[in-house]
Amino acid sequence: MNSRFRHQKGSALLVSLAVLTAITLGAMVAMQRSTVQIRMISNLQHQQEITNATLGTLNYLYDQMENNGALQNDILIKAESLYKASLADPATNTSFNPFTEFKASLTQPSFNSKSISTGGITASARNLPVPPGTSFYLKGKGGCGNGCSVMHAALNVSTVSTNGAISESQEIGVRRLIPGGTGQ
Protein backbone atom coordinates (compact mmCIF):
# COMPACT_ATOMS: atom_id res chain seq x y z
CA MET A 1 0.00 0.00 0.00
CA ASN A 2 0.90 3.55 -0.45
CA SER A 3 2.36 5.07 2.73
CA ARG A 4 0.56 8.33 2.14
CA PHE A 5 -2.84 6.76 2.80
CA ARG A 6 -1.70 4.95 5.96
CA HIS A 7 -0.89 8.19 7.80
CA GLN A 8 -4.33 9.79 7.39
CA LYS A 9 -6.06 7.44 9.88
CA GLY A 10 -9.71 8.57 9.29
CA SER A 11 -9.32 12.33 8.93
CA ALA A 12 -11.74 12.29 5.98
CA LEU A 13 -14.38 10.74 8.23
CA LEU A 14 -13.93 13.46 10.86
CA VAL A 15 -14.09 16.26 8.29
CA SER A 16 -17.23 14.79 6.67
CA LEU A 17 -18.90 14.40 10.11
CA ALA A 18 -18.11 18.04 10.96
CA VAL A 19 -19.54 19.22 7.62
CA LEU A 20 -22.63 17.03 8.06
CA THR A 21 -23.18 18.43 11.59
CA ALA A 22 -22.95 22.00 10.28
CA ILE A 23 -25.42 21.26 7.48
CA THR A 24 -27.83 19.59 9.96
CA LEU A 25 -27.69 22.56 12.34
CA GLY A 26 -28.29 24.96 9.44
CA ALA A 27 -31.32 22.92 8.32
CA MET A 28 -32.75 22.89 11.85
CA VAL A 29 -32.44 26.67 12.17
CA ALA A 30 -34.12 27.12 8.78
CA MET A 31 -37.01 24.85 9.83
CA GLN A 32 -37.49 26.75 13.10
CA ARG A 33 -37.57 30.06 11.25
CA SER A 34 -40.13 28.78 8.77
CA THR A 35 -42.30 27.52 11.64
CA VAL A 36 -42.19 30.95 13.28
CA GLN A 37 -43.06 32.60 9.95
CA ILE A 38 -46.02 30.25 9.47
CA ARG A 39 -47.29 31.18 12.95
CA MET A 40 -46.88 34.88 12.21
CA ILE A 41 -48.81 34.57 8.95
CA SER A 42 -51.52 32.56 10.68
CA ASN A 43 -51.87 35.24 13.36
CA LEU A 44 -52.10 37.95 10.69
CA GLN A 45 -54.81 35.96 8.90
CA HIS A 46 -56.77 35.56 12.14
CA GLN A 47 -56.44 39.27 12.87
CA GLN A 48 -57.64 40.09 9.36
CA GLU A 49 -60.65 37.78 9.81
CA ILE A 50 -61.53 39.55 13.07
CA THR A 51 -61.19 42.98 11.43
CA ASN A 52 -63.28 41.91 8.43
CA ALA A 53 -66.01 40.51 10.68
CA THR A 54 -66.08 43.71 12.72
CA LEU A 55 -66.24 46.02 9.72
CA GLY A 56 -68.68 43.73 7.92
CA THR A 57 -71.08 43.73 10.86
CA LEU A 58 -70.78 47.50 11.28
CA ASN A 59 -71.39 48.09 7.55
CA TYR A 60 -74.35 45.71 7.61
CA LEU A 61 -75.90 47.51 10.59
CA TYR A 62 -75.38 50.90 8.97
CA ASP A 63 -76.79 49.71 5.62
CA GLN A 64 -79.86 48.28 7.34
CA MET A 65 -80.44 51.58 9.10
CA GLU A 66 -79.90 53.52 5.88
CA ASN A 67 -82.30 51.35 3.85
CA ASN A 68 -84.97 50.96 6.53
CA GLY A 69 -86.16 54.32 7.85
CA ALA A 70 -88.44 52.73 10.45
CA LEU A 71 -85.57 50.65 11.86
CA GLN A 72 -83.30 53.69 11.88
CA ASN A 73 -85.94 55.69 13.72
CA ASP A 74 -86.51 52.89 16.25
CA ILE A 75 -82.77 52.54 17.00
CA LEU A 76 -82.22 56.27 17.35
CA ILE A 77 -85.34 56.79 19.49
CA LYS A 78 -84.31 53.90 21.78
CA ALA A 79 -80.78 55.37 22.11
CA GLU A 80 -82.18 58.81 22.89
CA SER A 81 -84.64 57.50 25.48
CA LEU A 82 -81.87 55.56 27.27
CA TYR A 83 -79.72 58.68 27.26
CA LYS A 84 -82.52 60.79 28.74
CA ALA A 85 -83.15 58.11 31.38
CA SER A 86 -79.45 58.20 32.31
CA LEU A 87 -79.69 61.93 32.95
CA ALA A 88 -82.26 61.23 35.65
CA ASP A 89 -80.48 58.11 36.94
CA PRO A 90 -76.74 57.88 36.13
CA ALA A 91 -76.78 54.13 36.87
CA THR A 92 -78.90 53.57 33.74
CA ASN A 93 -77.07 51.79 30.93
CA THR A 94 -77.03 54.11 27.91
CA SER A 95 -76.19 51.52 25.25
CA PHE A 96 -78.07 48.51 23.91
CA ASN A 97 -77.56 45.77 21.36
CA PRO A 98 -79.68 46.58 18.27
CA PHE A 99 -79.53 42.95 17.06
CA THR A 100 -81.08 41.78 20.33
CA GLU A 101 -83.47 44.69 20.79
CA PHE A 102 -84.84 44.64 17.21
CA LYS A 103 -84.33 40.96 16.33
CA ALA A 104 -87.69 40.83 14.54
CA SER A 105 -86.47 43.24 11.84
CA LEU A 106 -82.68 42.97 12.18
CA THR A 107 -80.66 39.76 12.03
CA GLN A 108 -77.00 39.68 12.98
CA PRO A 109 -74.72 38.37 10.23
CA SER A 110 -72.72 35.24 10.98
CA PHE A 111 -69.19 34.41 9.86
CA ASN A 112 -67.75 30.97 9.21
CA SER A 113 -64.34 31.19 10.78
CA LYS A 114 -62.31 29.24 13.30
CA SER A 115 -61.13 32.56 14.70
CA ILE A 116 -64.58 33.88 15.67
CA SER A 117 -66.92 32.15 18.09
CA THR A 118 -70.68 32.44 17.90
CA GLY A 119 -70.89 35.06 20.65
CA GLY A 120 -67.64 36.76 19.67
CA ILE A 121 -69.32 39.69 17.91
CA THR A 122 -71.23 42.26 19.92
CA ALA A 123 -72.89 45.43 18.72
CA SER A 124 -74.15 48.41 20.62
CA ALA A 125 -75.88 51.67 19.90
CA ARG A 126 -75.92 54.71 22.13
CA ASN A 127 -77.02 58.30 21.95
CA LEU A 128 -74.42 61.02 21.73
CA PRO A 129 -75.33 64.22 23.53
CA VAL A 130 -75.71 67.26 21.32
CA PRO A 131 -73.54 70.14 22.51
CA PRO A 132 -75.53 73.27 23.31
CA GLY A 133 -76.11 75.60 20.39
CA THR A 134 -75.23 73.16 17.62
CA SER A 135 -78.62 73.37 15.92
CA PHE A 136 -77.93 76.93 14.69
CA TYR A 137 -75.46 75.77 12.07
CA LEU A 138 -78.25 73.70 10.53
CA LYS A 139 -80.40 76.71 9.63
CA GLY A 140 -80.75 77.12 5.92
CA LYS A 141 -79.38 73.66 5.13
CA GLY A 142 -81.31 71.63 2.58
CA GLY A 143 -84.63 70.56 4.04
CA CYS A 144 -84.06 72.28 7.39
CA GLY A 145 -85.87 75.55 6.81
CA ASN A 146 -85.76 77.46 10.11
CA GLY A 147 -83.93 74.65 11.86
CA CYS A 148 -83.75 70.94 12.44
CA SER A 149 -83.86 68.68 15.41
CA VAL A 150 -80.76 66.54 15.47
CA MET A 151 -80.30 63.03 16.77
CA HIS A 152 -76.71 61.89 17.27
CA ALA A 153 -75.86 58.25 17.91
CA ALA A 154 -72.86 55.96 17.83
CA LEU A 155 -72.86 52.40 16.52
CA ASN A 156 -70.13 50.17 17.91
CA VAL A 157 -69.15 46.63 16.94
CA SER A 158 -66.58 44.62 18.88
CA THR A 159 -65.20 41.23 17.93
CA VAL A 160 -63.09 38.90 20.07
CA SER A 161 -61.30 35.81 18.78
CA THR A 162 -62.18 32.38 20.12
CA ASN A 163 -59.05 32.26 22.27
CA GLY A 164 -59.46 35.88 23.40
CA ALA A 165 -56.02 36.89 22.11
CA ILE A 166 -57.25 39.22 19.35
CA SER A 167 -59.95 41.86 19.67
CA GLU A 168 -61.17 44.59 17.37
CA SER A 169 -63.62 47.42 17.92
CA GLN A 170 -64.98 49.90 15.39
CA GLU A 171 -67.42 52.74 15.91
CA ILE A 172 -69.19 55.19 13.64
CA GLY A 173 -71.35 58.17 14.40
CA VAL A 174 -74.81 58.64 12.93
CA ARG A 175 -76.65 61.95 12.76
CA ARG A 176 -80.24 62.22 11.74
CA LEU A 177 -81.74 65.55 10.83
CA ILE A 178 -85.43 66.02 11.45
CA PRO A 179 -86.63 68.97 9.34
CA GLY A 180 -88.91 71.52 10.97
CA GLY A 181 -87.86 70.42 14.44
CA THR A 182 -87.48 72.61 17.43
CA GLY A 183 -83.76 73.14 16.83
CA GLN A 184 -82.92 71.91 20.32
Side-chain angles (χ1 to χ4, degrees):
M1 274 195 150
N2 191 346
S3 67
R4 193 174 107 203
F5 289 118
R6 276 188 270 154
H7 295 293
Q8 288 184 1
K9 302 223 183 210
S11 63
L13 178 61
L14 289 176
V15 170
S16 65
L17 283 175
V19 169
L20 184 59
T21 302
I23 290 172
T24 303
L25 288 174
M28 287 176 55
V29 168
M31 287 183 356
Q32 285 178 342
R33 283 187 180 179
S34 68
T35 302
V36 168
Q37 288 175 347
I38 288 172
R39 286 181 181 168
M40 288 170 42
I41 289 170
S42 178
N43 285 339
L44 287 173
Q45 287 175 334
H46 291 312
Q47 188 167 6
Q48 192 62 44
E49 285 177 353
I50 299 294
T51 300
N52 288 343
T54 304
L55 291 174
T57 303
L58 188 61
N59 285 335
Y60 173 78
L61 180 58
Y62 181 79
D63 287 345
Q64 292 301 309
M65 287 179 64
E66 184 177 41
N67 296 328
N68 185 342
L71 176 66
Q72 179 189 108
N73 192 46
D74 290 344
I75 290 173
L76 293 174
I77 294 292
K78 173 78 176 180
E80 186 178 42
S81 69
L82 287 174
Y83 173 71
K84 286 181 179 177
S86 75
L87 293 175
D89 179 13
T92 303
N93 189 2
T94 59
S95 64
F96 65 96
N97 186 337
F99 293 114
T100 304
E101 190 73 31
F102 302 104
K103 60 185 170 192
S105 58
L106 184 65
T107 57
Q108 184 167 349
S110 62
F111 297 91
N112 292 333
S113 171
K114 291 185 220 176
S115 303
I116 305 168
S117 65
T118 306
I121 301 175
T122 57
S124 66
R126 63 187 169 87
N127 189 67
L128 296 175
V130 179
T134 56
S135 62
F136 294 112
Y137 80 98
L138 298 173
K139 283 187 177 181
K141 296 289 180 187
C144 282
N146 292 332
C148 292
S149 291
V150 183
M151 295 177 76
H152 295 271
L155 303 175
N156 182 296
V157 175
S158 297
T159 306
V160 178
S161 64
T162 51
N163 63 1
I166 303 170
S167 64
E168 175 81 22
S169 184
Q170 295 286 325
E171 184 172 76
I172 59 172
V174 179
R175 177 174 48 192
R176 182 171 185 196
L177 304 178
I178 304 168
T182 59
Q184 308 173 21

